[in-house]
């Protein structure tokens, strides 16, 4: 079995690769759904010797199967949102400590001490349903900020506008985490000139607005909030880790997460850095379900453990991806 220290104290590429292969063997042995998928591809522990040889489970399996690598009691089940008639993903989590440690450490890596911020969450479409992993994370960050000004907002935009202006003018560091359409709604009610606020969009029009490309979206948000950069979070129901963009749409991963780009014409091969293809995610925090997920996003590697999201294969519900294939 693996401890959180094994996963969250990775210090080198070699350590990551070694642990990744150990996780693959563990999940092959303990995850029936994943093992059956590997068998279909004629892959097993004897012929998988590199990260590139590991099979990546299509993300759609979370809609039709219970993807589990543990017999421990399920502590919670995160679910994706979906329109009427659509099937939703179900991510059974047997150890919430892995999720909590993953997003807490990643936040600290990219943003520092959570107690230095007021955390404001404008996530109406997530608040209106049960089972959102984003709400779980945002709620925990709000509590960890230990600031009475932190909190969630549903449709009470006037209260949020007053608080944003007041706290920013007072010099308080703020992170406003918002679903895309709600951030656009907010700046249509009020334009801002914010000096101490990070705007972090989590993606998603949720059918409320027409999808637009990232460059256009971020330009609108920058002008509306009076900021120079828009931050983004790339995560999804089926994962327990997130990548973050501190601007320009370039995402960076924590040490226990890695992106590979598969050939859109051949899912078992990979394209070179700078070339566009399907995004495969290694998330070692996902030890008790599946750490190897083939998403429906299109992207490209831009550097050492950094990447861009360029679109997606369909309209699947994915946080941090609000672009359509062009």
């Amino acid at each position: 079995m693996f401890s959180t220290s094994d996963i969250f104290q990775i210090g080198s590429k070699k350590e990551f690769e070694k642990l990744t292969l150990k996780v693959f063997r563990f999940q092959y042995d303990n995850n029936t759904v994943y093992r059956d998928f590997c068998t279909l591809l004629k892959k097993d522990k004897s012929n998988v010797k590199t990260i590139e040889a590991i099979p990546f489970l299509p993300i759609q399996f979370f809609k039709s199967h219970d993807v589990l690598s543990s017999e421990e009691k399920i502590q919670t089940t995160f679910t994706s949102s979906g329109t009427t008639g659509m099937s939703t993903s179900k991510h059974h989590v047997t150890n919430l400590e892995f999720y909590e440690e993953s997003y807490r450490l990643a936040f600290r890596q990219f943003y520092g001490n959570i107690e230095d911020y007021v955390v404001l969450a404008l996530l109406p479409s997530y608040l209106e349903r049960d089972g959102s992993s984003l709400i779980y994370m945002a709620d925990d960050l709000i509590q960890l900020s230990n600031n009475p000004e932190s909190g969630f907002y549903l449709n009470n935009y006037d209260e949020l506008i007053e608080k944003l202006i007041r706290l920013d003018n007072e010099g308080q560091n703020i992170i406003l985490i918002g679903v895309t359409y709600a951030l656009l709604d907010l700046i249509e009610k009020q334009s801002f000139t914010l000096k101490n606020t990070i705007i972090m969009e989590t993606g998603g029009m949720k059918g409320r607005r027409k999808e637009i490309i990232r460059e256009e979206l971020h330009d609108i948000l920058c002008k509306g909030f009076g900021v120079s950069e828009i931050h983004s979070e790339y995560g999804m129901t089926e994962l327990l880790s997130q990548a973050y963009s501190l601007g320009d749409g370039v995402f960076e991963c924590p040490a226990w997460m890695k992106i590979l780009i598969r050939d859109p014409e051949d899912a078992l091969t990979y394209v070179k850095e700078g070339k566009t293809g399907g995004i495969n995610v290694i998330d070692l925090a996902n030890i008790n379900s599946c750490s190897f997920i083939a998403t429906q996003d299109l992207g490209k590697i831009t550097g050492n453990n950094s990447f861009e999201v360029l679109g997606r294969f369909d309209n699947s519900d994915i946080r941090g991806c609000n672009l359509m294939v062009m």
Side-chain angles (χ1 to χ4, degrees), residues 250-262:
V250 177
F251 291 88
E252 293 187 37
C253 298
W256 55 92
M257 182 181 182
K258 183 178 177 65
I259 302 297
L260 290 81
I261 304 297
R262 67 183 184 272

Side-chain angles (χ1 to χ4, degrees), residues 263-301:
D263 188 325
E265 303 297 329
D266 180 0
L268 301 181
T269 62
Y270 294 97
V271 299
K272 295 180 180 179
E273 181 177 318
K275 298 293 185 179
T276 299
I279 293 179
N280 285 359
V281 181
I282 299 175
D283 177 13
L284 297 184
N286 233 11
I287 183 64
N288 289 334
S289 55
C290 185
S291 292
F292 312 101
I293 305 298
T295 77
Q296 294 172 316
D297 287 349
L298 289 168
K300 65 180 180 180
I301 301 295

Side-chain angles (χ1 to χ4, degrees), residues 95-114:
N95 191 334
L96 279 166
E97 289 183 4
F98 282 104
Y99 184 40
E100 292 168 354
E101 189 152 9
S102 177
Y103 64 68
R104 289 172 182 176
L105 288 173
F107 183 91
R108 188 179 307 154
Q109 174 182 335
F110 293 106
Y111 294 100
N113 190 340
I114 185 63

Side-chain angles (χ1 to χ4, degrees), residues 43-60:
K43 296 284 189 177
D44 59 35
K45 291 188 295 182
S46 67
N47 59 20
V48 172
K49 305 294 185 183
T50 66
I51 287 178
E52 290 75 17
I54 293 173
F56 282 74
L57 188 72
I59 200 166
Q60 298 95 320

